């Protein structure tokens, strides 16, 4: 996180809290239950997770600033459409950039880049924060929340790629399954099941359970 | 028959929730009770059936590379596909607003039961996702697109009603405290998704592309054949007359 101390007024304790809180105790995915829609399907590989996280950080950071700048101009009756247009424009930028520089990954992410538009984190932060706060604070809030979201994506992606195909970022780390080197020499097998859709849900469920067993305040009374 | 296949496939095999995770936010937020789950599910089917064909028309006559040809030959090179997201989401948002007004005016009873859920749908990933998948699948006719919209809506409906019922029951069981609520819901959804994967074998053979008929291109059309036969005939007669002349 940007934590330079010489610009005190910009990074007061409260402002740093805006970035830090969403990373752990107020994580948008595991605590606020936002933004799961477009996230889980692309976490089978760490590469895709990281790209997706970066895209959302960009869209939410910039989008929050734009909405915050326009917050006194947008009539509340059409604010949803106004917000959607801002997000859609940003997502088009991301989509074209991805297609230009990482065409293979862009193909793998397919419709899920477009689905950033309806990612509930983005609409949620616009509604809850950017419409009522100054641009700088909104920017921090946007980056913080998107990073919290990205963190979960990367954790899920890490486990799914490691256990599912024995690789990280596409590089084999557990040895060669065909040559039987490394861990495979003692009879370890990849679990292809980790790459399928259901395991993304179950992995995320386990992460949520783990976080809540650490922090009792988060436990739901059900 | 193909339509039926597409319909069943979009409900069970490519289920929005279990295969592509679309619409998870509202799926998790509104599934605490079966009655509200039914309301939201019905609203999703409703909006899906309207927006998917509409976006299909937009895609076919506006967005695709070369889609503007109906305006005139000079527009044939235009490619507006980068506008897809903004147009699709605008269609979804306005259609939701319109549907809300129409339902409020003509079917107040339905409006009261769907009321709160309709505006929520504008940002439901399942709706936009349905349209984007429709574009990716490249359907040939608007009927196929409509059937796909209906099927994916029904699949979403089934999923949310099922998880609603399970969550109502699971309140009586002793779940470890850390997993209560969200954690358990995720794991349950994962298990249901494993169950739904077994539908994958239900329809086989639908996926393979039809065998291509590439023989035709190499065969010369019969008209040309008869023409060339005539030419050969005439050449032969000329040849004959020439040889006759020489002999004389």
């Amino acid at each position: 996180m940007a934590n330079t101390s010489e610009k005190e007024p910009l990074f007061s304790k409260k402002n740093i809290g805006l970035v830090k809180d969403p990373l752990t105790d107020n994580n948008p995915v595991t605590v606020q239950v936002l933004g799961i829609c477009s996230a889980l399907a692309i976490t089978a590989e760490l590469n895709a997770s990281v790209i997706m996280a970066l895209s959302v950080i960009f869209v939410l950071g910039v989008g929050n600033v734009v909405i915050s700048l326009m917050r006194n101009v947008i009539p509340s009756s059409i604010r949803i459409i106004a917000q959607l247009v801002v997000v859609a424009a940003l997502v088009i930028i991301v989509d074209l950039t991805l297609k230009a520089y990482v065409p293979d990954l862009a193909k793998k992410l397919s419709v899920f880049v477009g689905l950033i538009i309806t990612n509930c984190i983005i609409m949620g932060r616009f509604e809850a924060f950017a419409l009522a706060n100054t641009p700088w604070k909104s920017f921090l809030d946007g980056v913080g929340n998107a990073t919290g979201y990205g963190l979960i994506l990367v954790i899920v992606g890490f486990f799914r790629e490691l256990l599912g195909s024995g690789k990280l970022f596409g590089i084999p780390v557990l040895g060669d399954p065909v040559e039987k080197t490394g861990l495979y020499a003692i009879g370890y097998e990849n679990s292809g099941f980790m790459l399928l859709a259901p395991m993304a849900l179950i992995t995320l469920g386990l992460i949520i359970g783990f976080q809540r067993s650490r922090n009792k305040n988060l436990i739901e009374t059900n | 028959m193909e339509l039926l296949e597409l319909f069943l496939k979009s409900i069970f095999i490519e289920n929005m929730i279990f295969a592509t995770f679309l619409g998870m936010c509202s799926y998790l937020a509104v599934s605490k009770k079966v009655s509200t789950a039914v309301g939201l599910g019905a609203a999703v089917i409703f909006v899906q059936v309207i927006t998917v064909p509409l976006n299909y028309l937009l895609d076919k006559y506006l967005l695709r590379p070369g889609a503007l040809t109906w305006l005139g030959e000079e527009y044939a090179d235009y490619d507006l596909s980068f506008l897809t997201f903004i147009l699709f989401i605008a269609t979804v948002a306005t259609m939701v607003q319109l549907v809300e007004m129409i339902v409020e005016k003509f079917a107040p009873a339905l409006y009261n039961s769907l009321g709160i859920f309709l505006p929520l749908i504008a940002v439901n990933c399942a709706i936009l996702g349905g349209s984007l998948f429709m574009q990716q699948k490249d359907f040939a006719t608007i009927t196929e697109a409509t059937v796909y919209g209906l099927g994916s809506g029904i699949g979403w409906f089934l999923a949310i009603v099922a998880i609603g019922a399970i969550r109502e029951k699971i309140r009586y069981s002793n779940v470890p405290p850390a997993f209560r609520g969200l954690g358990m819901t995720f794991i349950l959804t994962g298990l249901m998704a494993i169950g739904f994967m077994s539908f994958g074998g239900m329809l086989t053979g639908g996926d393979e592309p039809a065998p291509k008929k590439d023989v035709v291109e190499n065969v010369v059309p019969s008209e040309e054949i008869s023409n060339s036969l005539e030419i050969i005939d005439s050449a032969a007669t000329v040849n004959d007359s020439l040889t006759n002349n020489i002999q004389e």
Side-chain angles (χ1 to χ4, degrees), chain B residues 153-167:
Chain B
I154 291 176
W156 203 88
F157 175 87
L158 276 182
I160 194 169
V161 171
I163 194 75
I166 294 178
R167 283 182 84 172

Side-chain angles (χ1 to χ4, degrees), chain A residues 29-31 33-38 40-41 77 80-81 84-85 88-89 91-92 95-96 110-115 117-120 123 160 193 196-202 204-206 208-210 212-213 219-222, chain B residues 17-26 28-29 32 82-86 89-90 93-94 97 119 122-126 128-129 132-133 136 167 170-171 177-184 186-191 193-194 197:
Chain A
V29 178
T30 60
V31 181
V33 208
L34 294 176
I36 297 141
C37 332
S38 60
L40 289 170
S77 53
I80 301 235
I81 293 186
L84 284 175
V85 171
V91 170
I92 290 174
D95 187 45
L96 294 179
S110 69
V111 302
F112 291 96
V113 175
L115 288 172
I117 296 172
T118 47
N119 191 321
C120 329
M123 296 302 280
R160 283 183 73 192
F193 204 52
L196 297 175
M199 283 315 287
L201 291 162
I202 294 180
L204 190 54
L206 293 177
I208 290 169
F210 178 74
R212 290 183 183 192
S213 64
I219 291 174
E220 283 173 55
T221 52
N222 194 353
Chain B
I17 296 266
F18 298 128
T20 48
F21 309 110
L22 295 180
M24 284 298 281
C25 297
S26 19
L28 292 167
K32 286 196 174 132
F82 66 93
L83 286 176
T84 303
F85 296 153
I86 226 164
I89 195 68
T94 45
Q97 207 98 54
V123 286
N124 188 326
C125 334
L128 183 64
L132 289 177
F133 273 122
Q136 207 180 44
R167 283 182 84 172
I170 209 155
R171 217 163 290 161
F179 283 96
R180 261 174 218 163
L182 193 56
M184 205 59 218
F186 267 113
I187 294 176
L188 282 173
T189 312
L191 295 175
I194 296 175
M197 277 171 64

